């Protein structure tokens, strides 16, 4: 009898453990650039409008670097020196914001008008409740440089280049189909991933049920 109880207990424990693993938050990593039109369109039209609706099911990872690269002379970025500066600012800001929704709000703000003087390092920083002077100290010092090196290391390790920016990666495993589908329709891709994870009540016919405005 004791053996039977023990076996039943093991089965129940294994079932609960498997369910917890299956229903773990979905990690979504977005490798983007501060002055990239495709990054802007994806973040403003797809990530920002939908993230707040399902944020409790996600583990978001925003990495501003893209197709940039480092050398003995510093960093070279796809859209010029302004983008290297912008990427550094984004890294400094994101490091100082703990809440994922607030991170998305900052990046959405910064993408709106990145060429406007003071927009990404002052206006949007103030809107995030951060200290402008502290952020400036970061992006003009070795701290910002080191953060860019870390962003470069992660970007190159977790993406195939990247070949396209933004690159969207789920659960640290790049997949061409995921990338293409997520860039074209992030909402339906999220729904597919969440439903397969056991969150069956979040979406209906590829659309998020939550009608909250982000």
């Amino acid at each position: 009898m004791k053996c039977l109880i023990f076996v039943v207990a093991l089965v129940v424990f294994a079932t609960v453990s498997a369910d917890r693993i299956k229903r773990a938050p979905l990690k979504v990593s977005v490798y983007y650039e501060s002055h990239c039109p495709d990054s802007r369109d994806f973040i403003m039209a797809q990530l920002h409008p939908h993230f707040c609706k399902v944020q409790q099911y996600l583990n978001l990872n925003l990495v501003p670097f893209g197709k940039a690269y480092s050398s003995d002379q510093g960093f070279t970025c796809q859209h010029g020196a302004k983008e290297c500066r912008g990427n550094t600012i984004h890294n400094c800001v994101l490091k100082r914001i703990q809440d994922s929704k607030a991170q998305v709000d900052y990046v959405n703000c910064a993408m709106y008008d990145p060429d406007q003087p003071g927009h990404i390092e002052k206006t949007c920083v103030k809107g995030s409740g951060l200290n402008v002077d502290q952020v400036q100290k970061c992006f003009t010092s070795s701290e910002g440089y080191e953060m860019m090196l870390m962003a470069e290391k992660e970007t190159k390790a977790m993406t195939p280049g990247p070949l396209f920016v933004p690159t969207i990666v789920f659960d640290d495993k790049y997949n061409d189909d995921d990338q293409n589908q997520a860039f074209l329709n992030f909402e339906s891709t999220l729904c597919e991933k969440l439903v397969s994870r056991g969150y069956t009540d979040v979406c209906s016919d590829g659309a998020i049920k939550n009608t909250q405005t982000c």
Side-chain angles (χ1 to χ4, degrees):
M1 184 64 177
K2 289 183 178 179
C3 290
L4 179 60
I5 294 174
F6 179 70
V7 170
V8 171
L10 282 178
V11 171
V12 171
F13 176 77
T15 302
V16 172
S17 297
D19 185 62
R20 285 177 177 174
I21 293 172
K22 184 179 181 182
R23 293 174 66 86
L26 172 67
K27 184 174 182 181
V28 180
S29 298
V30 181
Y31 299 89
Y32 72 99
E33 295 167 342
S34 64
H35 286 67
C36 168
D38 286 323
S39 293
R40 179 194 62 221
D41 292 346
F42 174 76
I43 288 167
M44 296 188 69
Q46 299 206 67
L47 179 64
H48 183 261
H50 298 303
F51 178 74
C52 75
K53 302 175 183 179
V54 291
Q55 60 181 313
Q56 65 267 40
Y57 310 111
L58 306 180
N59 175 14
L60 183 66
N61 179 39
L62 296 170
V63 184
F65 193 81
K67 292 184 177 181
Y69 61 90
S70 61
S71 66
D72 293 339
Q73 286 72 46
F75 293 97
T76 301
C77 296
Q78 183 174 199
H79 299 93
K82 64 181 182 181
E83 184 166 82
C84 288
R85 179 177 181 272
N87 287 346
T88 308
I89 295 171
H90 280 232
N91 273 293
C92 287
V93 171
L94 293 175
K95 179 184 178 182
R96 287 163 170 75
I97 300 177
Q98 301 301 315
D99 180 70
S100 295
K101 173 61 167 60
Q103 289 185 337
V104 174
D105 286 342
Y106 166 76
V107 176
N108 184 68
C109 174
M111 286 293 187
Y112 178 72
D113 193 5
D115 292 321
Q116 177 67 29
H119 182 71
I120 62 175
E121 76 273 31
K122 292 182 180 179
T123 303
C124 296
V125 168
K126 290 178 180 178
S128 298
L130 298 180
N131 184 292
V132 172
D133 292 335
Q134 289 182 1
V135 171
Q136 182 175 10
K137 183 178 180 181
C138 172
F139 75 77
T140 57
S141 69
S142 60
E143 180 185 1
Y145 185 85
E146 291 298 324
M147 292 185 68
M148 283 283 281
L149 289 176
M150 289 189 291
E152 177 180 32
K153 182 177 180 181
E154 179 178 347
T155 300
K156 291 184 176 180
M158 302 306 297
T159 74
L163 301 176
F164 182 80
V165 181
T167 295
I168 304 109
V169 178
F170 297 97
D171 286 333
D172 292 331
K173 296 178 181 178
Y174 175 82
N175 178 287
D176 281 338
D177 289 337
D178 284 347
Q179 163 66 25
N180 295 333
Q181 292 172 14
F183 181 70
L184 291 174
N185 194 328
F186 185 59
E187 181 181 16
S188 67
T189 307
L190 272 183
C191 284
E192 180 183 343
K193 296 287 185 182
L194 291 173
V195 169
S196 68
R197 220 175 189 82
Y199 297 111
T200 56
D201 296 330
V202 176
C203 299
S204 177
D205 296 326
I208 298 169
K209 291 182 180 179
N210 188 346
T211 58
Q212 177 182 353
T213 300
C214 298

